[in-house]
Amino acid sequence: MTKVSMRINGEQVNADVDGAQLLAYFLRDKLNLTGTHIGCDTSQCGACVVHLNGRAVKSCTMLAAQADGADITTIEGIQKNGELHPVQRAFQQHHALQCGFCTPGMIMAAVDIIENTNDLDEHSVREQLEGNICRCTGYQNIIAAILSAAKEMRG
Amino acid sequence: MSNTGIGARIERTEDKRFITGNGRYTDDINLPGQVYASFVRSPHAHAKVTGIDAKDALALKGVVKVFTGKDMEADGLGGLICGWTVTSKDGEPMKVGGHPSLAPERVRYVGDCVAVVIGESREAARLGAEAVAVSYEELDAVVEPAQAQNQNAPKVHEDIDKNLCFHWELGDKEATDAAFDKAAHVTHLDIVNNRLIPNAIEPRAALGDYNPGSGDYTLYTTSQNPHVERLVLSAFVGVAPEHKLRVISPDVGGGFGSKIFVYAEETVCLWAAGKIQRPVKWTAERSESFLSDAHGRDHVTRAELALDGDGRFLALRAHTVANLGAYLSTFSSSVPTYLYGTLLSGQYDIAAIHVEVEGVYTHTAPVDAYRGAGRPEATFVVERLVERAARETNKDPAELRKKNFVTKFPHQTPVILNYDTGDYNACIDRASEMIDYKSFDKRRKEAQAKGKLRGIGFSTYIEACGLAPSNAVGSLGAGVGLWESAEVRVNPTGNVEVLTGAHSHGQGHETSFAQLVSDRLTIPIEDITIVHGDTASVQFGMGTYGSRSAAVGMSAIDGALDKVITKAKRIAAHILEVQPDDIELADAAFRIKGTNKFIPWGELALNAYTAHKFSTSEIEPGLKETAFYDPTNFTFPAGCHICELEVDPQTGCVEIVDYVAVDDFGTIINPMIVEGQVHGGVLQGIGQALLENGVYDVETGQLVTGSYMDYTMPRAHDAPPLRLDFTNTPAPSNPLGVKGCGEAGAIAAPAAVLNALTSAIGHENISMPATPAKVWRAIQT
């Protein structure tokens, strides 16, 4: 067991973790943050994307122990004062989700894309979503939602 | 139309929980004392199991128990079943190979379950599974459907000759052959409809629970049809009697058909929970999904279309070998037969059709319904044939189609179906206009100038949806009826719960079903809850697949609403001292027509339960009604998709530059949801056409495409922007006029893309998926 200490969604978390435990399982099993999903074994689908120190990472790709000292945000932590994040709102408005399983990872990836890309257009959003698979939507409305949220977030 | 009623483009009520991480999927559910299952799977495509030694596994810390097929046999459990009996042309019923959940003696595909290890943790179970020593005597395997019947092909089931499950036919062979004899032109087509792996992003999962005090079992699982799951597990497998088994399908992360079926893993988890009296959980790893989810398609077909000198279609004939995999899955026999052969008339008036299908076993994962299920295969045959015939006879592909469209309804095809309504010209005309078909040559020349090959392809598809009239499917071999049930419960405070046998796993039923209820009861949509996915709440239902939930499921709700309104009017009439016919329901009030005397909806509901103001000897207290709805016909969604693409001859890369879809789904409940269904379906069809392929190694029977590293899932940059429009000829067979929209995209798109691609490269010799390597090679020939 390894002792870890991290901030998750603004709260301090101290825990003993199995050295082999992946961050995704730590979030789901230990902290009951089941919004982070696991859709593949090969870091391909992106359902498990969370923010680690402000950048999107696949939480199935790193050990919980590696996140020691980190500041983590999951899908459960992006609302501010009970208000939906603009990306969450845009996903609903644009019908950018169907079954909802890829959605948390998509939203977390989208927030990162918007915050860290200067000139966003349809092409660049599509390219940057390479790491997230959706089987339901054909991506069309996801792209529309991200572009719309980007516009709103940049005023 | 009210602002939340039928036709309203409103946001989905279920979205809030999904976008905030509050969805509740099977793997999110944990029970006290829960243990984990890990399956020992065959690494061989075909082998005898000569021994299973679990002692090393049992010695590991945290391993609780190991079960094998012999343990299940000893408990008298039955195998998994196929619910549709297909009869061969010689009158013999299909040959069914036994399908034990855990294979006791012989494994028949890579991934076949041999044993299960139960562990205190996921890791303990997994390590235990790796420590189980299974001895195999490896045998030769056959994975290609075209080779399954060869003289020396290894048998999948020892008692089934030539691996032939059925040799089925439909249509009039004599009339068809006679029509071919007098044809002015015959177009031939040899095609492979590539094997697909469904890949819902939520992996399958199960959590079995048993209460030794009451003898009650509960199964949480990723099912599209929890009641059918319960029926099969009770009546056929025999895990628990139906009244002692509750099946819950909570939020389910996509299905596309693959979660219709009753699989080995959930069966084992449920049974094992009873054996060890602790909850048993299993969640598939993606590699297990690839190996063991039922796959789709996998046809080899030779087809011909006969035309007269004027370009009229005289007859069509097809011969298909359909890969069924190692075992028959829950509905697999129906897919390459009644969901395929019946659609070979397409949108066309063809006097004679004959189709033969040989369903064969191979040493591969079972093949069953995947989005479209038989209808994409039929559309691909028909639309590739028609496009090719146009090219061979130098006719415009749109004009040749229009010349042969069915224009008078009802239209009886030679292959069972009776098309009740449609306007195929309206769809092709609108789609041609949207894509500016008449200027295509100009665009092709512009592409040429920049070194690109540009092509355009049509797909005018039809599907039979709204599955299905119970009598009709019963006469064709179905073991179930395909009606749907609904119960509308008006609570004393006036809000409403609607229980449906349909199951939403992305389709947005909680919104669109509520729109119907809001429309009919004239109450706010916020006051309506849709309940589904729990056999303890909903009495029975057939689930969601075959684009049936609007046409059948909502029609059942509509029937229950009729009864609720009728009874509420009787109560209102009593209270207002008039006749029920004098009462109208509008703006959430029961009003005496032509007056301003009324009872608000909520007050009426309360009165129904207090029962103070009417005679309970005349009217029962309460306000709750049930309806079972059985459709009178299939529905026939149809449309025209046109794909325009460019090929880079240097690289073989294909770019879809425009894609338009004009679909006739009848009445549309929520256009936003319907558009989303088309988007997703079309990309799955484009995936089949250009990217996806389930490949088994011919020698070893290993699944070569067993991960997202190998199986090309369409990503955001593979998806072209789609332009959609709709026409509407309301379906006459249900009260709402809806036809269903869930599968159209996957049905139409492959033919549209391949027709465009062959138009671009100038010949027909290319198969799906048309990867850049294949396209590049095709250009060189």
Side-chain angles (χ1 to χ4, degrees):
Chain A
M1 286 296 191
T2 309
K3 278 199 187 311
V4 294
S5 162
M6 55 188 98
R7 277 182 82 75
I8 298 181
N9 298 332
E11 285 183 24
Q12 192 63 34
V13 172
N14 302 308
D16 289 326
V17 300
D18 181 333
Q21 186 162 48
L22 296 169
L23 179 58
Y25 286 100
F26 176 66
L27 295 170
R28 289 179 56 77
D29 293 353
K30 202 110 174 185
L31 305 179
N32 205 28
L33 293 169
T34 54
T36 298
H37 295 153
I38 298 168
C40 72
D41 337 320
T42 50
S43 300
Q44 292 280 308
C45 80
C48 66
V49 170
V50 300
H51 290 174
L52 182 103
N53 300 326
R55 291 309 302 264
V57 298
K58 289 179 174 172
S59 62
C60 76
T61 309
M62 63 186 295
L63 300 169
Q66 288 175 296
D68 187 37
D71 192 340
I72 290 171
T73 308
T74 70
I75 187 70
E76 290 91 346
I78 61 167
Q79 292 185 70
K80 290 270 171 0
N81 308 317
E83 292 280 311
L84 291 176
H85 188 283
V87 176
Q88 289 174 309
R89 212 159 48 231
F91 266 58
Q92 177 160 22
Q93 283 166 350
H94 291 269
H95 187 35
L97 62 146
Q98 290 179 26
C99 80
F101 197 79
C102 77
T103 307
M106 281 286 176
I107 289 174
M108 297 310 283
V111 171
D112 182 83
I113 291 169
I114 294 168
E115 287 177 350
N116 294 292
T117 314
N118 285 330
D119 296 313
L120 263 193
D121 58 13
E122 184 183 330
H123 178 77
S124 60
V125 174
R126 286 183 184 275
E127 291 295 325
Q128 291 196 63
L129 270 189
E130 162 75 22
N132 292 72
I133 303 177
C134 171
R135 192 57 151 169
C136 293
T137 64
Y139 303 98
Q140 183 144 331
N141 291 341
I142 293 177
I143 307 299
I146 295 173
L147 290 171
S148 161
K151 209 167 159 189
E152 187 188 333
M153 286 163 71
R154 282 154 195 200
Chain B
M1 184 182 90
S2 72
N3 58 1
T4 60
I6 290 173
R9 178 184 288 273
I10 58 167
E11 291 175 18
R12 299 200 317 173
T13 51
E14 50 269 79
D15 282 358
K16 178 81 185 285
R17 68 177 185 272
F18 295 128
I19 57 179
T20 55
N22 288 296
R24 188 172 157 86
Y25 300 87
T26 299
D27 189 58
D28 300 338
I29 298 165
N30 295 296
L31 298 175
Q34 169 181 300
V35 288
Y36 295 82
S38 182
F39 287 88
V40 179
R41 295 178 184 276
S42 170
H44 305 297
H46 189 199
K48 273 186 192 158
V49 178
T50 55
I52 301 175
D53 183 352
K55 77 174 176 305
D56 287 355
L58 288 165
L60 290 174
K61 188 167 171 246
V63 170
V64 175
K65 190 82 188 168
V66 178
F67 292 114
T68 67
K70 295 220 161 38
D71 297 314
M72 295 187 85
E73 277 184 351
D75 265 15
L77 264 71
L80 302 172
I81 59 140
C82 177
W84 195 303
T85 301
V86 164
T87 303
S88 287
K89 63 183 203 174
D90 63 5
E92 288 290 310
M94 64 185 190
K95 309 264 189 305
V96 182
H99 188 184
S101 292
L102 298 175
E105 288 161 1
R106 188 180 283 254
V107 287
R108 295 184 170 87
Y109 69 99
V110 173
D112 209 352
C113 294
V114 179
V116 64
V117 176
I118 311 292
E120 293 287 351
S121 66
R122 207 180 277 114
E123 292 69 29
R126 190 182 297 149
L127 290 171
E130 283 175 18
V132 173
V134 184
S135 316
Y136 295 101
E137 181 187 323
E138 227 184 309
L139 300 167
D140 287 342
V142 60
V143 299
E144 292 287 331
Q147 289 159 18
Q149 296 179 72
N150 290 355
Q151 208 57 49
N152 56 353
K155 281 185 181 177
V156 179
H157 298 277
E158 282 171 304
D159 52 345
I160 299 178
D161 260 358
K162 295 178 77 182
N163 293 315
L164 186 64
C165 178
F166 55 79
H167 186 160
W168 172 87
E169 70 173 343
L170 182 64
D172 186 336
K173 184 173 192 317
E174 214 169 295
T176 305
D177 290 346
F180 269 88
D181 287 343
K182 56 178 197 206
H185 182 84
V186 175
T187 292
H188 303 269
L189 189 70
D190 283 296
I191 48 174
V192 172
N193 202 291
N194 45 323
R195 189 180 184 105
L196 301 176
I197 303 178
N199 275 304
I201 303 300
E202 181 205 21
R204 284 191 295 117
L207 172 56
D209 188 28
Y210 175 68
N211 183 328
S214 64
D216 290 336
Y217 285 82
T218 304
L219 175 65
Y220 301 84
T221 192
T222 49
S223 174
Q224 298 178 214
N225 38 211
H227 293 86
V228 176
E229 176 101 28
R230 182 175 71 157
L231 180 63
V232 171
L233 290 174
S234 292
F236 298 95
V237 185
V239 182
E242 212 172 355
H243 68 301
K244 289 289 182 187
L245 173 56
R246 176 181 181 187
V247 177
I248 300 172
S249 294
D251 286 330
V252 172
F256 315 111
S258 70
K259 292 172 180 168
I260 297 171
F261 321 121
V262 181
Y263 287 93
E265 294 87 351
E266 65 251 28
T267 306
V268 170
C269 285
L270 183 67
W271 167 77
K275 292 295 280 185
I276 64 169
Q277 305 201 353
R278 291 176 70 179
V280 177
K281 184 177 194 175
W282 168 79
T283 303
E285 297 182 10
R286 181 56 55 182
S287 54
E288 291 184 285
S289 308
F290 273 102
L291 289 175
S292 66
D293 288 5
H295 295 179
R297 321 284 193 255
D298 209 349
H299 285 195
V300 180
T301 298
R302 160 148 267 226
E304 296 167 297
L305 179 67
L307 298 88
D308 71 10
D310 202 25
R312 290 200 182 279
F313 303 160
L314 301 173
L316 186 151
R317 60 190 172 200
H319 177 268
T320 293
V321 182
N323 195 346
L324 301 169
Y327 303 101
L328 289 181
S329 169
T330 315
F331 289 107
S332 62
S333 53
S334 66
V335 175
T337 51
Y338 290 105
L339 292 174
Y340 166 69
T342 52
L343 274 303
L344 287 172
S345 197
Q347 298 185 355
Y348 310 106
D349 185 358
I350 307 177
I353 295 175
H354 183 248
V355 53
E356 293 193 39
V357 180
E358 292 167 284
V360 297
Y361 291 104
T362 63
H363 294 101
T364 64
V367 179
D368 205 325
Y370 167 62
R371 201 171 195 167
R375 290 152 293 174
E377 295 92 316
T379 296
F380 195 67
V381 168
V382 174
E383 290 303 295
R384 291 285 290 119
L385 268 175
V386 168
E387 195 85 11
R388 190 167 185 169
R391 289 170 191 162
E392 288 174 353
T393 58
N394 290 316
K395 291 195 161 57
D396 179 272
E399 292 308 315
L400 182 65
R401 283 178 167 84
K402 292 171 77 163
K403 188 185 205 70
N404 287 282
F405 277 164
V406 171
T407 53
K408 293 196 182 77
F409 298 89
H411 173 81
Q412 178 62 51
T413 73
V415 278
I416 299 178
L417 298 178
N418 190 283
Y419 299 168
D420 50 15
T421 187
D423 185 347
Y424 310 140
N425 281 306
C427 290
I428 198 170
D429 287 345
R430 176 71 185 124
S432 300
E433 178 195 331
M434 282 170 72
I435 208 157
D436 192 10
Y437 177 53
K438 60 183 188 308
S439 307
F440 171 70
D441 277 339
K442 183 166 164 271
R443 297 194 293 279
R444 173 175 260 175
K445 288 197 182 86
E446 286 165 4
Q448 250 163 13
K450 52 178 187 165
K452 298 282 179 67
L453 307 172
R454 193 166 177 122
I456 194 165
F458 288 76
S459 177
T460 49
Y461 73 95
I462 189 164
E463 44 175 334
C465 291
L467 304 179
S470 297
N471 275 337
V473 296
S475 72
L476 304 178
V480 291
L482 285 170
W483 44 265
E484 195 47 87
S485 78
E487 182 177 316
V488 174
R489 294 180 183 165
V490 181
N491 295 323
T493 54
N495 49 37
V496 175
E497 288 160 277
V498 177
L499 285 67
T500 171
H503 183 275
S504 185
H505 30 279
Q507 293 88 343
H509 293 171
E510 288 168 50
T511 306
S512 52
F513 288 12
Q515 287 182 252
L516 166 66
V517 180
S518 170
D519 207 282
R520 296 282 327 268
L521 299 184
T522 69
I523 61 173
I525 202 158
E526 296 77 21
D527 292 349
I528 300 158
T529 294
I530 305 296
V531 178
H532 65 90
D534 184 348
T535 60
S537 307
V538 179
Q539 190 243 327
F540 205 94
M542 295 310 297
T544 289
Y545 41 82
S547 304
R548 68 190 302 272
S549 294
V552 191
M554 288 180 81
S555 293
I557 295 172
D558 196 57
L561 289 169
D562 282 341
K563 294 182 189 175
V564 162
I565 293 167
T566 300
K567 181 171 179 185
K569 283 182 176 172
R570 285 184 69 203
I571 295 171
H574 264 261
I575 297 167
L576 296 169
E577 297 177 331
V578 291
Q579 292 302 310
D581 284 351
D582 297 330
I583 301 286
E584 65 182 4
L585 169 59
D587 302 326
F590 293 89
R591 189 181 307 271
I592 302 175
K593 288 175 191 166
T595 75
N596 60 2
K597 284 186 74 179
F598 66 91
I599 303 175
W601 169 266
E603 202 175 302
L604 186 286
L606 187 61
N607 270 289
Y609 287 90
T610 58
H612 295 160
K613 295 184 180 170
F614 56 91
S615 162
T616 53
S617 61
E618 284 177 48
I619 305 175
E620 284 180 31
L623 194 50
K624 181 194 92 164
E625 298 289 346
T626 299
F628 284 64
Y629 175 78
D630 197 37
T632 55
N633 193 358
F634 297 87
T635 61
F636 300 98
C640 176
H641 290 208
I642 309 177
C643 174
E644 199 164 318
L645 52 75
E646 285 187 358
V647 178
D648 183 339
Q650 303 292 317
T651 62
C653 286
V654 174
E655 185 193 358
I656 294 176
V657 291
D658 203 358
Y659 192 106
V660 301
V662 178
D663 297 296
D664 177 359
F665 297 138
T667 307
I668 286 176
I669 309 295
N670 183 328
M672 182 190 79
I673 288 176
V674 170
E675 286 162 11
Q677 290 292 313
V678 176
H679 291 159
V682 167
L683 190 60
Q684 286 180 340
I686 290 173
Q688 168 162 34
L690 298 179
L691 304 167
E692 300 178 38
N693 204 15
V695 180
Y696 282 91
D697 183 84
V698 177
E699 294 298 319
T700 64
Q702 293 293 326
L703 180 65
V704 177
T705 52
S707 81
Y708 287 147
M709 313 289 276
D710 314 292
Y711 185 91
T712 318
M713 288 285 279
R715 310 256 175 171
H717 56 74
D718 298 311
L722 310 174
R723 298 192 293 133
L724 314 184
D725 201 358
F726 302 96
T727 61
N728 178 8
T729 59
S733 62
N734 65 67
L736 304 171
V738 298
K739 294 184 177 178
C741 65
E743 297 165 290
I747 291 169
V753 175
L754 264 283
N755 284 340
L757 181 59
T758 48
S759 139
I761 65 175
H763 67 80
E764 308 284 336
N765 190 19
I766 187 153
S767 61
M768 300 191 291
T771 58
K774 256 195 222 170
V775 173
W776 186 85
R777 274 198 303 273
I779 293 169
Q780 315 309 310
T781 55

